Amino acid sequence: MSLSRRHQGKHLSVLKNAGPGCITYYSGLEWAHVEHLQGCTILVREDFSHVFFPEKEVECWKVADPQVEFYKLSAAFREDYLDRDDMVQAGGAWVHKDAQIGKGVELGLGAVIGACCLENGVRIGENAVVYAKTKVGSGTSIGASTVIGAAGMMWVWDGKSKIFLEQLGGVSIGQDCHIGSNITIVRGNANENTEIGRGTCIAHGSMIGHGCRLGQNVHLANSVALGGSVSIGARCFLGSGSAVSPGKTMVDEVILGAGAVLTESAIKKGVYVGVPAKWKSNASEQMSGVPMWTP
């Protein structure tokens, strides 16, 4: 039976979140990376030799390239994150009929709001788009022409063409965040969220990749770029035009200088500068443009 006919009643999952009723994939051969699985289906390589015990109720589908097959399979799970047929006008905005809109929410002219949750006091700027599966915490503001929950640009080559991944996750934004204009925040893959911590500020023109996790009171200056699955600790400051490579981690209270490119995880507090970025010094309490750390 083809994979496309074996997915009924299941959902896609990233490996770390995989649980009962899901389909995930693993391209490696290390047992330690998959031994936590239970009650799910996993796509593995044809030379994957480990055997799951029956009580784990894990079904293995052996394929030539698990990532390629997972990406192909995602097309069968594609969702409409705006569902235009269910939009209604609310003032000068368009709002999905299933959107949860709290008290005192302000919607700018031309804003488009999918089936998301906007808590009390949220402000959405002109021409901003908030896709489905997004939750925005109370008191948060989102600037004009910003897109929350956009689809990412993930693809693999199958030998003939690009196979794009249908991203099915969401976005979670904490309370009292300030998100500027012309920002893109990509939604998570499968069953994961992109997460923005409480009190975080993201300045104009920044780009946040899929599955990123930003701690509380993080500050991103103008035009910061985060690759997918970046993890940033609390009270970090990223200077204008800086970038972080996919999958890298920053501990709490790291300062990344303007224009710096972090290609390795920052595992020590302090100031990182350069291309590639390297640790330079401990942070001063009165660094120009950097907010004082708060507990």
Side-chain angles (χ1 to χ4, degrees):
M1 184 184 296
S2 68
L3 296 184
S4 62
R5 295 180 58 193
R6 296 169 68 181
H7 73 267
Q8 286 84 353
K10 299 180 184 291
H11 60 273
L12 298 189
S13 175
V14 295
L15 185 62
K16 65 182 180 181
N17 294 341
C22 76
I23 302 173
T24 189
Y25 80 95
Y26 176 57
S27 297
L29 296 173
E30 297 295 328
W31 174 246
H33 294 159
V34 298
E35 62 180 345
H36 67 285
L37 298 179
Q38 191 157 357
C40 65
T41 300
I42 181 171
L43 281 66
V44 296
R45 288 163 39 173
E46 292 174 339
D47 57 349
F48 184 81
S49 60
H50 300 285
V51 177
F52 288 94
F53 295 108
E55 59 267 23
K56 282 186 167 287
E57 299 181 327
V58 173
E59 181 181 5
C60 284
W61 297 349
K62 292 194 173 185
V63 295
D65 190 323
Q67 186 178 26
V68 168
E69 295 301 331
F70 186 85
Y71 278 39
K72 288 180 178 179
L73 185 60
S74 73
F77 292 82
R78 183 177 182 179
E79 299 180 26
D80 187 343
Y81 273 71
L82 281 183
D83 201 3
R84 293 162 181 79
D85 292 338
D86 287 322
M87 290 284 185
V88 296
Q89 277 196 297
W94 285 93
V95 181
H96 193 277
K97 66 180 182 62
D98 293 331
Q100 301 175 43
I101 309 295
K103 296 179 180 179
V105 169
E106 299 178 12
L107 302 178
L109 292 174
V112 180
I113 309 299
C116 61
C117 175
L118 305 181
E119 293 187 343
N120 297 341
V122 167
R123 290 176 293 163
I124 306 295
E126 291 75 12
N127 298 314
V129 179
V130 182
Y131 284 100
K133 295 187 181 181
T134 295
K135 180 178 180 180
V136 182
S138 61
T140 287
S141 63
I142 295 172
S145 301
T146 282
V147 180
I148 308 295
M153 196 66 65
M154 298 185 65
W155 58 270
V156 291
W157 183 256
D158 72 347
K160 298 180 180 179
S161 61
K162 297 175 182 176
I163 306 298
F164 286 87
L165 177 68
E166 292 290 339
Q167 291 179 288
L168 305 169
V171 177
S172 176
I173 300 176
Q175 299 176 357
D176 301 320
C177 293
H178 293 268
I179 297 174
S181 61
N182 296 301
I183 290 167
T184 300
I185 299 179
V186 176
R187 60 183 180 250
N189 291 332
N191 58 348
E192 70 174 353
N193 284 336
T194 299
E195 300 178 4
I196 311 297
R198 180 173 183 167
T200 286
C201 298
I202 304 177
H204 313 294
S206 293
M207 297 170 287
I208 312 299
H210 67 87
C212 286
R213 295 185 176 185
L214 279 61
Q216 295 187 12
N217 297 307
V218 170
H219 187 108
L220 273 59
N222 297 327
S223 302
V224 171
L226 305 182
S229 300
V230 166
S231 179
I232 296 179
R235 303 177 299 281
C236 289
F237 179 90
L238 282 71
S240 297
S242 61
V244 181
S245 296
K248 304 309 176 187
T249 297
M250 297 171 65
V251 298
D252 295 350
E253 299 181 4
V254 166
I255 296 173
L256 186 62
V261 179
L262 190 71
T263 59
E264 298 293 337
S265 292
I267 59 175
K268 179 181 179 181
K269 293 182 181 181
V271 180
Y272 291 73
V273 297
V275 181
K278 302 294 183 183
W279 188 90
K280 178 183 178 182
S281 65
N282 291 318
S284 166
E285 292 185 357
Q286 296 183 348
M287 298 191 72
S288 176
V290 178
M292 294 288 290
W293 305 133
T294 58

